[in-house]
Every structure is written in C-alpha cells, then in structure tokens.
Amino acid sequence: MPTPSPAPAPPTGPRTARPGAFLREFLRDPLHTASLLPSSRPLAAAASGPVPGTGEPVVVELGPGTGAFTGAIAERLGGRGHHLAVELNPRLAGLLERARPGLDVAVADALALPALLAERGLGRADVVVSGLPWAAHPATGRTLSAVLAGSLHPHGVLTQFGYTCTRSLPPARRLRRELAAAFADVTCGPTVWANLPPAFVLTARLPRHP
C-alpha cells in the first residue's frame, strides 16, 4: 500500500495574540504591559465597536501588543481606511509586523501620536482604541488624554479598557478625571465577564480641543 502523504503543516506567523510572548513582555516590563494575558475576543469587540462600518476612517491603536484588538479592528475596517498601530515595545511590534504585513506599525510612545499622524498626512484620527495600562499614563505634564483628544476629529471617539478589579485604584481614578477634562462625554460599558480578568471599556466622545 502506498504510504499516506503527511498532513500539511499549519501556517506560520500568528494572526492573533500569542499568550507566551505577552507573558514574557509582562515579566520584562509590567508597567508598560497591560496584563499577563492577551485580551479576549469579546473585550476586543467592545473596544473596537466605535470603528465605523463605512467610509475611509483613520483608526489608531495604542499598545496593540501581539494583536488581540488588532484583528477586531481589521475585521471592522475590511481593508478600508488607515489602521495605525503604535507600540512602544520593539519586540511586540516586530511580532505584530510579521503577523500582519500590511499593518502600519510605529515603534513609538503614544504621546508622539500628533507627529505620527502628521508624518503620514492623516490629519486627525476618527477613532483611537487604547490597550495601554492605566499606570503607564504620565502623572505629570500634559496628560495623554489631552494629547489624544487633540488628535481626534470633533466627532472622534476614544476607547480605553480597564480591569474591573482595579477600577477603584488611584491610577484608574486619575485617568477618569483626565478623560473628563479632555472629553465632554465619558461612559463606562458593562463588565466583560468572558475576559480574564473581567474588564470593561470606557468610551470618550466629544473631545475638548485645546
């Protein structure tokens, strides 16, 4: 009998988050890596919900890590508009570039967003999806919330996820104050129990431009 052909090897190059890589980066730098584990699909869907289903929107993703939110944003865009991912960690940025070759990945601090948009001739963004840890927001100087508000169109939207177990801690309270100062409308979504740990999404609208 002929020897059966071996099954084809699975494709290489991750399209979604890799827990092992995420854990390594958290252990290296817990301040700038939001969690031990990547975010779940339900949380990614909630965070990317404001991405328009039509037109050519400019969508900025902050702290994409290994791409838990990236896939959800890409699905909503369906090849439209411009998706800019801003990742401070060069190792995670490299993983993301290999996983999604067409994605515009910038290795930079989120505070550099106005310059990054200007370099690309994009003007202001329509949506900013933030996966940054709350503790990484600078406590002095111009707040990141103010920078992001100034980078959005008048009807632009910012989403920022957080963990339910940390919402009463000082960094979370400070971020809520900063968002209220930078946006006229800030709402808190329901708890996403399917995430580990359970999380929620803050949605900020009507940016107060300086």
Side-chain angles (χ1 to χ4, degrees):
M1 295 179 60
T3 303
S5 300
T12 58
R15 298 290 293 175
T16 56
R18 296 167 62 179
F22 213 84
L23 175 58
R24 286 194 298 272
E25 297 309 319
F26 179 85
L27 294 175
R28 284 191 178 110
D29 189 0
L31 177 63
H32 295 100
T33 305
S35 175
L36 286 164
L37 298 171
S39 299
S40 66
R41 286 184 63 86
L43 180 60
S48 61
V51 174
T54 60
E56 299 290 330
V58 174
V59 180
V60 175
E61 183 182 5
L62 302 178
T66 51
F69 289 178
T70 310
I73 294 170
E75 288 175 8
R76 290 192 63 83
L77 286 175
R80 298 173 294 107
H82 192 104
H83 182 178
L84 169 62
V86 182
E87 174 56 60
L88 184 62
N89 185 314
R91 290 178 294 273
L92 292 178
L95 285 173
L96 198 59
E97 286 180 313
R98 290 191 290 276
R100 296 184 177 273
L103 181 65
D104 183 3
V105 180
V107 181
D109 191 292
L111 289 170
L113 180 58
L116 295 173
L117 291 170
E119 288 169 3
R120 291 158 171 78
L122 296 173
R124 286 176 169 167
D126 296 288
V127 179
V128 174
V129 177
S130 176
L132 298 175
W134 292 2
H137 285 243
T140 59
R142 190 182 181 200
T143 68
L144 177 57
S145 298
V147 171
L148 299 181
S151 300
L152 283 162
H153 286 298
H155 296 289
V157 182
L158 163 69
T159 62
Q160 167 72 60
F161 89 95
Y163 295 118
T164 305
C165 59
T166 65
R167 67 194 310 166
S168 62
L169 296 181
R173 295 200 302 269
R174 175 167 56 84
L175 179 57
R176 290 294 296 269
R177 291 194 299 270
E178 292 174 1
L179 286 172
F183 294 85
D185 180 27
V186 181
T187 58
C188 180
T191 298
V192 180
W193 295 105
N195 198 72
L196 186 64
F200 62 94
V201 174
L202 293 170
T203 301
R205 303 177 186 273
L206 301 178
R208 307 180 197 270
H209 291 144

